[in-house]
Amino acid sequence: MTDNSPTLSNKMPSDAESQSPSPAPTKRTWNAFLNEHVEHHNAAIPLAWQSFLTGLIDLILYSRSQVWVGFQTGNMVQFSGNIAQYMLPDYQRQPLLTLERVLSILSFFLGSFVAAVGAKYLGDRTRKWLFLNSVLQSCLLWGAAAILLTRPEDEQPTFQYFPAVLTLSAWSMGMQAAAAQKLTSPHFATTVAFTATITQIAADPNLFKLKSAVRDKRVVGIFSLCVGAGVGEMLLYANTNLRGAMAIVAGFKLIQAFMWFLPKPSPPK
């Protein structure tokens, strides 16, 4: 009778196979790290920080100029009202506000356009583009802060300098909004406008449930925005005032750049 049972050599691996070294782990180069893709579900911290900065910068600039640099819906409505003032007889017109509002709208648009072009060439979700985008935003805010630091603290907005401050700030906010939009976060949106987010929270079927990840992240975005506005009001009340507050915002934006190194990478689509 033939013995069909497997031999010992078929059961056990050879000595050479058992002692062969495991393949060395692939080293993570700096270039590979910068080219990693970031998805919104791993980027809650930097997106919440951006929402915080939106509330901060919009509050401190609107308090002095009555012009938004992030909430462009308000600017468009107010600018349309300014235009209507020129059509009405014997009506008090506001040429400086009219100019500042249209400059804010245009600068936000151009900032978004530049960010879209940069994302096209560097990858809209790569760490290197998100980092570079935030650094450029910080430089724009530092420029606005530098202009303010050359002026007396209590000086009211004039044609001489304040349009440039708003232009640089709105350009920065446009770049932030475009970068956030490319991440297509359903919770933080563009980290600038949250009207739709409020509607989504109200319409959420899990609104009154104890746990709801989607609802909670949306609430975090709105909460971050409101906290930023509160911090901005405190900075204006303190000795920092507008000039110091703008410099702080520029520094916070630079911190934002390094926050893009925190999220776990995701495979590119």
Side-chain angles (χ1 to χ4, degrees):
M1 185 172 184
T2 306
D3 186 5
N4 295 326
S5 61
T7 62
L8 185 61
S9 60
N10 291 333
K11 291 181 180 179
M12 301 296 294
S14 63
D15 292 342
E17 291 178 349
S18 62
Q19 296 178 2
S20 60
S22 58
T26 305
K27 290 185 178 180
R28 195 182 185 190
T29 65
W30 179 245
N31 186 57
F33 175 75
L34 292 177
N35 282 290
E36 289 175 346
H37 281 225
V38 175
E39 297 295 337
H40 68 85
H41 52 266
N42 293 327
I45 293 177
L47 289 173
W49 184 254
Q50 285 191 166
S51 303
F52 169 82
L53 294 181
T54 298
L56 179 55
I57 188 173
D58 249 331
L59 186 283
I60 62 177
L61 286 175
Y62 187 84
S63 66
R64 179 65 64 88
S65 65
Q66 306 302 302
V67 176
W68 304 108
V69 293
F71 307 144
Q72 294 302 326
T73 303
N75 272 340
M76 289 186 287
V77 171
Q78 292 170 318
F79 172 70
S80 300
N82 292 142
I83 295 300
Q85 293 170 1
Y86 287 89
M87 302 177 185
L88 300 173
D90 303 324
Y91 199 93
Q92 183 180 1
R93 299 176 176 90
Q94 301 171 307
L96 178 58
L97 271 177
T98 305
L99 174 65
E100 289 175 335
R101 283 167 179 158
V102 71
L103 284 176
S104 179
I105 296 169
L106 293 175
S107 299
F108 188 94
F109 177 86
L110 291 173
S112 300
F113 176 78
V114 169
V117 172
K120 178 180 178 181
Y121 287 99
L122 296 179
D124 51 13
R125 300 184 186 185
T126 58
R127 291 189 200 275
K128 63 182 179 182
W129 169 241
L130 294 169
F131 173 81
L132 179 61
N133 190 324
S134 297
V135 170
L136 292 174
Q137 293 172 49
S138 179
C139 292
L140 291 166
L141 293 174
W142 278 118
I147 294 173
L148 290 172
L149 288 169
T150 63
R151 313 297 299 189
E153 179 56 57
D154 297 328
E155 183 179 8
Q156 294 301 311
T158 66
F159 283 100
Q160 294 180 341
Y161 76 101
F162 218 83
V165 172
L166 293 174
T167 296
L168 293 171
S169 302
W171 193 297
S172 171
M173 294 301 296
M175 295 188 71
Q176 172 182 309
Q181 186 181 45
K182 290 295 184 180
L183 292 176
T184 59
S185 171
H187 315 120
F188 294 93
T190 63
T191 68
V192 173
F194 281 91
T195 304
T197 305
I198 295 174
T199 306
Q200 290 163 349
I201 292 175
D204 193 333
N206 299 320
L207 175 61
F208 298 106
K209 287 188 176 181
L210 186 61
K211 293 182 179 181
S212 175
V214 174
R215 177 207 59 198
D216 293 345
K217 285 185 178 180
R218 286 172 176 155
V219 171
V220 166
I222 295 175
F223 180 75
S224 300
L225 179 81
C226 295
V227 170
V231 171
E233 187 65 31
M234 293 178 184
L235 290 175
L236 292 176
Y237 180 79
N239 292 331
T240 52
N241 218 307
L242 178 61
R243 298 185 301 177
M246 280 300 299
I248 291 173
V249 169
F252 281 175
K253 178 57 72 172
L254 191 58
I255 294 174
Q256 165 78 56
F258 292 96
M259 282 187 175
W260 292 114
F261 295 161
L262 299 177
K264 294 180 180 179
S266 300
K269 294 183 179 180

